[in-house]
Amino acid sequence: MFESTEIPNSWVPILNNNFDMAVVPDQFLVDVYKSCGVQIPIFVLPLPVMLEEFLNLKPRVQAHKPFVFGVSGGFWKRKNHAKILDAFAREFGNSKKFKLKLHGRFGEEEIINELRDKINEYGLTNVELIVKPYTWDEYLEFFKSLDCYVFLSMGEGFSITPREALACGIPCV
C-alpha cells in the first residue's frame, strides 16, 4: 500500500494479472487504484487501531510539572523530529517549565545524530531523545507522561500515534 495519489505503474499489471482482488485501508485508495488502471475488485479493510488500553487510562486533570510535549515515530526525515526540536528550542529554550520527549524505535542514524547535535548545539537539558523499542507497558507509560502530543509529519495517511494520544485525552498538535 502506498499512501499516495497514485501507485507505481509496475504494480498495475502485477495486480491485474496475478491477484484476484486487492485490499486497501481506505476508500480513497480504492479510487486511487482504479484511476491508475487496477481492474480487479478492490475492498476496504480499515486500518486496525487498538485503542482500548489508551481509552482505559485515567485522564489527567492537571498538567505535569514540567509540562511535557512528546512524539513517537521512526526517525525518518518525513517525521520532522528536527522541526519539532527547532520549534521547541525557539519557543521554550532551556526553560525548566517545559520538557520535550522525542521517541523512536529505529530510523536513520543521520537523523538521530542530527537531533543529538541540535540538542547539544542548543544546550538543551530539557529534551529527552529516546532511541529504543518500548515494551507495550513502556509505550503506555510514555503516553501517560505527556501533556501534549506533537506530530508534524510531512506524509502520513493513516497515523496511529495521534489517535492513541487522543484516546488518552492528550491534546494533539
Side-chain angles (χ1 to χ4, degrees), residues 66-67 69 84-101 118-128:
F67 188 95
F69 294 94
I84 294 169
L85 177 59
D86 291 340
F88 180 86
R90 199 169 41 251
E91 187 65 28
F92 303 113
N94 213 18
S95 171
K96 294 188 184 311
K97 294 181 180 181
F98 300 96
K99 182 174 185 170
L100 174 62
K101 292 184 174 186
K118 282 180 179 261
I119 291 167
N120 290 331
E121 176 187 327
Y122 292 140
L124 299 172
T125 58
N126 57 349
V127 174
E128 189 176 350

Side-chain angles (χ1 to χ4, degrees), residues 68-117:
V68 182
F69 294 94
V71 61
S72 181
F75 291 105
W76 313 114
K77 183 177 173 83
R78 71 182 171 85
K79 298 287 186 172
N80 264 333
H81 290 85
K83 187 172 272 191
I84 294 169
L85 177 59
D86 291 340
F88 180 86
R90 199 169 41 251
E91 187 65 28
F92 303 113
N94 213 18
S95 171
K96 294 188 184 311
K97 294 181 180 181
F98 300 96
K99 182 174 185 170
L100 174 62
K101 292 184 174 186
L102 301 169
H103 170 255
R105 296 178 306 212
F106 49 77
E108 296 175 20
E109 281 300 315
E110 181 181 322
I111 301 296
I112 296 165
N113 291 333
E114 175 190 359
L115 292 168
R116 281 191 182 111
D117 291 346

Side-chain angles (χ1 to χ4, degrees), residues 50-61 64 136-146 161 163-170:
M50 300 180 303
L51 296 177
E52 186 172 346
E53 290 188 58
F54 295 95
L55 291 165
N56 289 335
L57 293 176
K58 184 179 176 191
R60 211 174 28 268
V61 292
H64 293 97
W136 185 251
D137 288 338
E138 290 172 325
Y139 190 61
L140 290 172
E141 287 300 315
F142 171 78
F143 275 94
K144 286 168 49 176
S145 76
L146 303 179
T161 58
R163 297 175 201 205
E164 292 169 337
L166 289 170
C168 296
I170 299 169

Side-chain angles (χ1 to χ4, degrees), residues 22-42:
V23 179
V24 295
D26 190 85
Q27 180 61 42
F28 169 79
L29 292 170
V30 172
D31 300 332
V32 166
Y33 279 49
K34 285 181 178 178
S35 71
C36 289
V38 174
Q39 297 172 348
I40 58 174
I42 306 166

